[in-house]
Amino acid sequence: VIKCKAAVAWEAGKPLSIEEVEVAPPKAHEVRIKIVATAVCHTDAYTLSGADPEGCFPVILGHEGAGIVESVGEGVTKVKKGDTVIPLYIPQCGECKFCKNPKTNLCQKIRITQGKGVMPDGTSRFTCKGKQIFHFMGTSTFSEYTVVADISVAKIDAAAPLDKVCLLGCGISTGYGAAVNTAKVEPGSTCAVFGLGGVGLAVIMGCKIAGASRIIGIDINKDKYAKAKEFGATECISPQDSTKPIQEVLVEMTDGGVDYSFECIGNVGVMRAALEACHKGWGLSVIVGVAAAGQEIATRPFQLVTGRTWKGTAFGGWKSVDNVPKLVTEYMSKKIKVDEFVTHTLPFNKINEAFELMHSGK
């Protein structure tokens, strides 16, 4: 058993608490990882808020991390002690019908136990003050050591800077993949990206790499426009600058609508606007943002009858074990940006400040 520091969420709606936790050794087909760096994501904040129907407390949150394998359980063959890895919230077992289908990346092998906050055998590897602490998204990167299933680990280039590539565990991969895998953006196309946070910026990067000629960034926070343009946005607009609905503004700006749109916020009203901003006959809109539990999307069916397509994406459609190492290689060869997504670097004990910075749009 390893004793280390972790940021524990004792209950919903309260700040995280830095505690000493005990991390049990890995069982069969499990891997214990020393987490070197972790990022914060709105998904962590969503669960912490209490709005997540799958949220279990007390829990160690975090799903964008990178580290070094400390030890492996019986039967683990893909990684060994000392390997540099990124934990994966969408695993890749290679055996289930989802993994065998090239159309999806949604491995279901450990979905049920992962959603319940436990390891595949139904138990937790974390304890604190004599209490069992739940796992989160199969990763729990807000701990100096964590235990994950062996199908939830990608072995990456040992030379990669972990304080940067941890972002490939969720946000950057999700946005980039939404553009290149889910939408399959084509050269010369016009794109609209709703929400210019980390995921939105990664979508813009993907659209640019795919050869889009016009990329319109949409956000009510104008402080985000300069960064969006660095990533490839050709122009940025705010829905608050017009009395017309944003979809009408975009249709007028683009002679009938955009070829591709992306919703990177998790707002069902914006999801509708993103679809309706698409061009008749061929426009495609991708939902990337995660809406709150119980919410529903709406549009007039005629929008779809007249040739628009509505799609969704999780982790950018990447089959995780296969593709995360390739994404790290693309970063190392400067094909994709990662460093530019990092705005602040804080010590672990200031994790609550990181959440405050995220909520304030900084």
Side-chain angles (χ1 to χ4, degrees), residues 100-113:
K100 286 180 173 168
N101 190 323
K103 294 178 181 175
T104 184
N105 62 330
L106 296 174
C107 174
Q108 297 295 295
K109 183 80 178 271
I110 59 173
R111 178 72 198 93
I112 291 167
T113 50

Side-chain angles (χ1 to χ4, degrees), residues 64-83:
E64 291 185 332
I68 310 291
V69 174
E70 177 273 335
S71 58
V72 299
E74 192 187 329
V76 175
T77 56
K78 299 269 173 72
V79 294
K80 63 185 187 304
K81 181 178 176 166
D83 282 350

Side-chain angles (χ1 to χ4, degrees), residues 305-344:
V305 171
T306 51
R308 295 170 193 83
T309 304
W310 222 343
K311 293 185 86 168
T313 187
F315 196 56
W318 301 108
K319 287 194 184 271
S320 57
V321 174
D322 291 345
N323 286 295
V324 168
K326 292 177 186 169
L327 289 167
V328 171
T329 302
E330 285 192 3
Y331 158 64
M332 299 293 276
S333 63
K334 297 196 163 44
K335 185 189 170 187
I336 60 171
K337 296 180 195 279
V338 173
D339 297 12
E340 293 82 354
F341 285 87
V342 180
T343 56
H344 297 75

Side-chain angles (χ1 to χ4, degrees), residues 2-345:
I2 289 177
K3 287 186 177 181
C4 68
K5 280 195 298 194
V8 177
W10 288 106
E11 56 183 300
K14 295 281 169 68
L16 302 178
S17 176
I18 302 289
E19 306 279 3
E20 183 180 78
V21 298
E22 293 87 42
V23 185
K27 295 188 183 178
H29 295 289
E30 294 177 3
V31 178
R32 186 160 61 181
I33 302 166
K34 179 182 176 54
I35 297 289
V36 174
T38 186
V40 298
C41 174
H42 274 284
T43 310
D44 303 305
Y46 169 62
T47 298
L48 185 58
S49 74
D52 182 355
E54 273 197 345
C56 312
F57 295 89
V59 63
I60 295 172
L61 299 168
H63 63 283
E64 291 185 332
I68 310 291
V69 174
E70 177 273 335
S71 58
V72 299
E74 192 187 329
V76 175
T77 56
K78 299 269 173 72
V79 294
K80 63 185 187 304
K81 181 178 176 166
D83 282 350
T84 305
V85 294
I86 289 176
L88 308 166
Y89 71 90
I90 294 182
Q92 187 186 351
C93 71
E95 294 164 359
C96 71
K97 67 181 179 183
F98 289 80
C99 281
K100 286 180 173 168
N101 190 323
K103 294 178 181 175
T104 184
N105 62 330
L106 296 174
C107 174
Q108 297 295 295
K109 183 80 178 271
I110 59 173
R111 178 72 198 93
I112 291 167
T113 50
Q114 182 171 312
K116 290 177 178 167
V118 290
M119 294 299 289
D121 73 346
T123 63
S124 168
R125 301 292 162 268
F126 297 119
T127 49
C128 181
K129 299 178 179 172
K131 285 188 181 154
Q132 172 185 289
I133 308 290
F134 287 108
H135 293 250
F136 176 69
M137 290 177 75
T139 52
S140 289
T141 60
F142 293 172
S143 175
E144 291 178 322
Y145 287 86
T146 189
V147 179
V148 304
D150 62 353
I151 58 172
S152 304
V153 175
K155 181 182 172 182
I156 62 161
D157 183 342
L162 300 187
D163 61 334
K164 304 295 192 293
V165 296
C166 61
L167 289 166
L168 293 169
C170 178
I172 298 178
S173 305
T174 297
Y176 177 44
V180 300
N181 296 331
T182 311
K184 296 184 169 58
V185 170
E186 294 167 317
S189 56
T190 297
C191 303
V193 181
F194 292 77
L196 302 175
V199 174
L201 294 175
V203 171
I204 289 171
M205 175 175 77
C207 292
K208 186 181 180 183
I209 289 170
S213 59
R214 193 171 177 194
I215 303 167
I216 304 164
I218 301 128
D219 203 299
I220 56 175
N221 182 351
K222 295 186 177 181
D223 294 342
K224 295 183 178 269
Y225 293 178
K227 193 69 138 172
K229 287 175 179 170
E230 273 175 50
F231 278 87
T234 52
E235 61 221 279
C236 294
I237 58 172
S238 168
Q240 295 175 338
D241 285 353
S242 172
T243 52
K244 291 180 185 171
I246 188 69
Q247 53 267 55
E248 285 182 29
V249 174
L250 286 159
V251 166
E252 284 174 16
M253 282 172 68
T254 57
D255 184 30
V258 300
D259 302 310
Y260 302 97
S261 70
F262 301 86
E263 198 280 353
C264 307
I265 300 162
N267 178 309
V268 292
V270 178
M271 291 174 190
R272 177 174 190 158
L275 177 81
E276 295 177 0
C278 284
H279 202 287
K280 182 192 271 191
W282 63 77
L284 185 151
S285 186
V286 181
I287 294 173
V288 192
V290 178
Q295 295 197 329
E296 298 182 352
I297 48 173
T299 190
R300 295 194 311 282
F302 197 65
Q303 292 282 335
L304 301 172
V305 171
T306 51
R308 295 170 193 83
T309 304
W310 222 343
K311 293 185 86 168
T313 187
F315 196 56
W318 301 108
K319 287 194 184 271
S320 57
V321 174
D322 291 345
N323 286 295
V324 168
K326 292 177 186 169
L327 289 167
V328 171
T329 302
E330 285 192 3
Y331 158 64
M332 299 293 276
S333 63
K334 297 196 163 44
K335 185 189 170 187
I336 60 171
K337 296 180 195 279
V338 173
D339 297 12
E340 293 82 354
F341 285 87
V342 180
T343 56
H344 297 75
T345 304

